[in-house]
Amino acid sequence: MTSLSNQKRLAAKVLGVGESRIWLDPEKLTDVANAITREDVRGLINDGTVKSKQAQGVSRGRARGNDVKRKKGHKTGQGTRKGAKNARSPKKQLWMRRIRAQRRTLRTLRDNNTLDRTTYRRMYRKAKGGEYRTVSVLSTQAEIAMATRRQN
């Protein structure tokens, strides 16, 4: 059998793909061997004797599996991490999340008349100063503050 590398090269040029992606019909190799011009190759392409294979991609199957694992907390150890702790979850973001929740709670307590204006203001300033670690701590402090206020 004669070498069909020239025909493959021509077909690759005509189809605009790499030579490795050219498929030649094994039943009609003699027709392919007789094709010596680009025009001949175009004719074979129209007949379906010469085709281009589909481009190979990279499978995302493993990546999807790993994403599922990470959702469950696996594969997130020290060896996987890039960037410092603060780069992965910035302190500022944590602070913003915490202070917004606390301010929201304070607002609802004030609107429900659980807190009076002066206590609300005092607690608001304390929250800004970082006195309360969590919303639950703030709520307990609010209860204590109002209880002492009622006694006086």
Side-chain angles (χ1 to χ4, degrees), residues 99-138:
I99 195 69
R100 284 173 183 172
Q102 288 175 9
R103 284 174 177 168
R104 221 179 358 255
T105 307
L106 280 170
R107 214 171 298 129
T108 54
L109 289 172
R110 183 195 60 193
D111 294 344
N112 297 341
N113 295 325
T114 312
L115 286 180
D116 59 332
R117 279 174 53 211
T118 52
T119 314
Y120 166 79
R121 248 314 117 202
R122 191 179 313 113
M123 290 190 78
Y124 190 96
R125 284 195 303 270
K126 283 184 175 184
K128 184 182 179 182
E131 183 141 328
Y132 312 116
R133 273 185 306 120
T134 59
V135 170
S136 58
V137 171
L138 180 132

Side-chain angles (χ1 to χ4, degrees), residues 9 11 39 60 69 74 85 90 116 122 126 128 130 135:
R9 185 182 55 78
E39 200 56 48
R60 291 241 349 122
K69 287 250 176 104
H74 300 236
K85 181 183 175 186
D116 59 332
R122 191 179 313 113
K126 283 184 175 184
K128 184 182 179 182
V135 170

